[in-house]
Each structure stands twice: as C-alpha cells, then as structure tokens.
C-alpha cells in the first residue's frame, strides 16, 4: 500500500501552532521555513526589509505572501484562486475605468489577479503594484502562434503598505509604463 503524503496549507499550519503570538507572526515563521524557498515557491527581496513569496500556480508565478522582516510578520496578498485578498472595492478608482469593456471591469470587481500582477520594491514603507486586468493578445497565443487576439494590456496601478493594505487606490493610467 502506497503512503499518501498529506500536504498542509499554510492556514492549517498556523492553526496547529501554539503560543499567543498573532497569526501574522505565526505566518511569518511558517513562510521562513525551507519549504517556501524551493519550488513551487520562490522568495524575492523587495528591499526595505520586505520580501515576497511567489507561488507557481497552474504554470504562473503569483505574488502570494508579503513578509515584513522588520516586524517579523507576513500577510497573504493573493489567494491560490488568483484573488487579491487585500484589495477592497473602495481601493479601486472606478472613475478611471470608465469606458473600458465591461468584461475587463468585471475582473476588477472580482479582484481577479489571474493576469500578471507585479509588486515592485518598497521605499519608505510603500510599494507600487501593477495589476493587469487585461493582457495583450499574445497571452492567448499558443506555441505555434495560434489564438493571438487584438487585446491590449490594461494595467491598474496602486500602492500598498507593509501589510499589503492599499494606500493609493488602483487606477487605470493608460500612458504609465
């Protein structure tokens, strides 16, 4: 009979930990283990004593957890279903999305991070985040060039703090690069 290795998710590990420290500190301890430094995970330095744990989910590296080495805390930024968990509806500048296709606006309403989402380096406790709510047409193309569409990249730009909370609302800035 084959033994099945039980894989615990991070929340299960936190629940099993003893001690009175806050969950953010427990999550930090879990994420600092070797397991989160090897595939399917990768730890990236974001400067200012901050780090990001990315996870390969269905072939895409996704920004899952923010680690604050100064406070020894960690926060989930995106869940494994590609939802930006720290973004609330009031964190989106809806007026800047006017005129965009409804299917694209619907992705913002769902806080859908399926397309590329990038957390840039921290400075003075804040980091720029680019959240694509629509990719360019090459995203849909296969290895042989089929499936390409005429879609264009539609990024939303915002800023987060050391806990992943939005401190400057996400807005569509067509000319920002």
């Amino acid at each position: 009979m084959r033994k099945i290795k039980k894989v615990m998710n991070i929340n299960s590990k936190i629940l099993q930990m003893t001690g009175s420290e806050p969950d953010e500190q427990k999550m930090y301890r879990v994420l600092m283990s070797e397991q989160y430094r090897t595939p399917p995970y990768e730890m990236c330095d974001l400067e200012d004593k901050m780090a990001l744990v990315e996870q390969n989910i269905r072939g895409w590296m996704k920004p899952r957890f923010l680690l604050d080495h100064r406070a020894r805390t960690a926060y989930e930024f995106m869940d494994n279903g590609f939802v930006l968990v720290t973004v609330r509806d009031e964190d989106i500048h809806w007026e800047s999305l006017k005129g965009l296709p409804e299917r694209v606006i619907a992705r913002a309403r769902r806080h859908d991070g399926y397309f590329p989402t990038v957390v840039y380096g921290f400075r003075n406790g804040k980091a720029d985040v680019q959240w694509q709510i629509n990719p360019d047409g090459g995203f849909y193309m296969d290895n042989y060039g089929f499936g390409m569409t005429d879609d264009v990249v539609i990024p939303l730009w915002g800023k987060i703090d050391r806990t992943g909370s939005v401190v400057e609302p996400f807005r569509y800035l067509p000319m920002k690069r």
Side-chain angles (χ1 to χ4, degrees):
M1 181 178 219
R2 240 175 63 197
K3 283 191 175 186
I4 297 175
K5 181 180 175 186
K6 184 176 180 183
V7 178
M8 295 176 63
N9 70 29
I10 193 165
N11 293 321
S12 299
K13 290 178 182 179
I14 291 168
L15 286 173
Q16 289 189 338
M17 295 174 83
T18 59
S20 60
E21 66 190 338
D23 286 350
E24 294 83 7
Q25 290 177 345
K26 291 177 182 177
M27 183 181 290
Y28 179 84
R29 284 197 299 148
V30 170
L31 289 169
M32 288 302 292
S33 70
E34 189 61 31
Q35 175 186 350
Y36 294 97
R37 295 169 186 264
T38 58
Y41 299 97
E42 183 176 314
M43 189 173 294
C44 309
D45 179 36
L46 292 178
E47 303 170 2
D48 201 20
K49 298 203 181 264
M50 292 292 295
L52 180 70
V53 172
E54 293 185 310
Q55 181 180 355
N56 186 321
I57 306 172
R58 292 190 261 158
W60 303 102
M61 290 305 286
K62 292 298 183 179
R64 286 296 313 281
F65 304 98
L66 284 171
L67 285 79
D68 183 338
H69 295 305
R70 191 178 300 154
R72 299 179 58 83
T73 55
Y75 302 88
E76 185 176 34
F77 179 71
M78 178 186 288
D79 71 15
N80 61 8
F82 306 115
V83 174
L84 300 174
V85 297
T86 63
V87 176
R88 304 164 303 162
D89 286 345
E90 55 265 27
D91 295 328
I92 300 169
H93 186 269
W94 296 103
E95 188 70 25
S96 72
L97 277 63
K98 282 196 171 164
L100 293 176
E102 180 53 40
R103 66 181 166 70
V104 172
I105 295 171
R107 290 183 192 126
R109 280 192 203 103
R110 292 190 307 267
H111 308 162
D112 185 340
Y114 180 75
F115 301 119
T117 301
V118 180
V119 179
Y120 292 93
F122 274 81
R123 288 206 167 78
N124 300 318
K126 295 179 187 173
D128 287 319
V129 177
Q130 181 191 38
W131 167 26
Q132 276 187 29
I133 56 175
N134 200 68
D136 72 8
F139 181 87
Y140 301 105
M141 185 173 61
D142 68 14
N143 292 338
Y144 304 103
F146 296 105
M148 178 128 177
T149 67
D150 61 355
D151 282 80
V152 295
V153 172
I154 299 176
L156 300 185
W157 290 89
K159 286 188 187 283
I160 58 171
D161 67 11
R162 300 177 77 85
T163 68
S165 297
V166 177
V167 293
E168 283 187 28
F170 284 95
R171 64 181 61 235
Y172 175 51
L173 302 170
M175 298 308 288
K176 184 162 183 171
R177 295 195 193 284

